[in-house]
Amino acid sequence: MSWKIWRSSGKNTTNHVEVNFIEKFTSERRFHSSISCSITWFLSWSPCWDCSQAIRKFLSQHPGVTLVIYVARLFWHTDQQNRQGLRDLVNSGVTIQMMTASEYYHCWRNFVNYPPGEEAHWPRYPPLWMMLYALELHCIILSLPPCLKISRRWQNHLTFFRLRLQNCHYQTIPPHILLATGLIQPSVTWR
């Protein structure tokens, strides 16, 4: 029944934040498997393959725990193991969603340890980026090939997104999602 907030779970360690959380959670709590609890994570990146496996193991040992994960970006989203890890999590009952701009801003203001006076300098991810990541997450969950290619030019700090939609994407991704991205236009019948 508590609302404990843990910040900076990846600080001063070689583990990813997911593994750090699991280790800290299990070391601080001893509860019976019949006790239910809900955990919500706000992560900068989606879990990698190894973290996905650690999360699944944790959840299998604690069947009363439900997990919802909000992510800002997809970690190496074209890597087949990472894609399978995310699918395995969803198939295990984990909810994974891309953060909206307002959720991202909320996380920045409430959970990030930024230097005093620098709260206005939060990294901005335009809503279009978030929409493209959400589309790619749908492709991952539906076992479709990647539709999003991301290129970064570190000198200019520019990020380029390129969509490569195939017939399987158009046939499988729900039309309302494609409509929301502006990738397809609604069909209009003139009489």
Side-chain angles (χ1 to χ4, degrees):
M1 297 306 287
S2 71
W3 287 86
K4 183 168 185 175
I5 296 174
W6 284 323
R7 292 185 173 110
S8 302
S9 292
K11 201 172 183 180
N12 300 324
T13 180
T14 57
N15 292 331
H16 289 180
V17 296
E18 299 91 337
V19 172
N20 287 339
F21 176 88
I22 291 168
E23 288 174 358
K24 188 172 184 174
F25 184 85
T26 54
S27 70
E28 289 184 6
R29 286 174 174 71
R30 302 279 184 241
F31 58 87
H32 195 271
S33 61
S34 66
I35 295 176
S36 297
C37 123
S38 179
I39 299 172
T40 303
W41 284 350
F42 292 92
L43 303 174
S44 301
W45 293 96
S46 61
C48 68
W49 166 257
D50 291 330
C51 290
S52 294
Q53 298 314 302
I55 294 165
R56 289 183 63 221
K57 180 180 177 186
F58 167 75
L59 292 173
S60 71
Q61 294 168 348
H62 302 89
V65 173
T66 58
L67 179 61
V68 177
I69 303 174
Y70 292 92
V71 298
R73 294 167 288 183
L74 297 173
F75 181 78
W76 292 102
H77 70 278
T78 58
D79 180 272
Q80 290 305 313
Q81 278 193 310
N82 289 340
R83 294 172 79 82
Q84 186 61 52
L86 294 176
R87 277 192 296 276
D88 290 345
L89 287 175
V90 169
N91 291 332
S92 298
V94 176
T95 300
I96 303 174
Q97 290 182 227
M98 297 305 303
M99 285 185 217
T100 63
S102 62
E103 290 163 342
Y104 187 83
Y105 180 71
H106 171 79
C107 287
W108 181 261
R109 300 285 295 182
N110 293 291
F111 304 127
V112 176
N113 290 330
Y114 46 77
E118 298 209 11
E119 58 274 0
H121 299 290
W122 62 291
R124 286 166 174 60
Y125 295 105
L128 178 60
W129 290 17
M130 294 175 169
M131 197 178 314
L132 293 173
Y133 276 129
L135 179 63
E136 183 65 16
L137 181 58
H138 272 77
C139 291
I140 292 169
I141 293 168
L142 295 171
S143 298
L144 296 174
C147 70
L148 186 62
K149 176 155 176 56
I150 302 171
S151 306
R152 291 187 174 83
R153 302 263 164 78
W154 295 110
Q155 311 88 329
N156 305 11
H157 299 286
L158 296 175
T159 303
F160 298 95
F161 290 85
R162 187 171 70 209
L163 282 172
R164 290 192 211 154
L165 294 174
Q166 302 170 28
N167 282 339
C168 60
H169 294 110
Y170 290 109
Q171 293 168 354
T172 311
I173 298 171
H176 70 277
I177 294 169
L178 293 173
L179 283 168
T181 62
L183 296 173
I184 63 170
Q185 301 300 317
S187 58
V188 177
T189 304
W190 297 95
R191 292 182 188 236

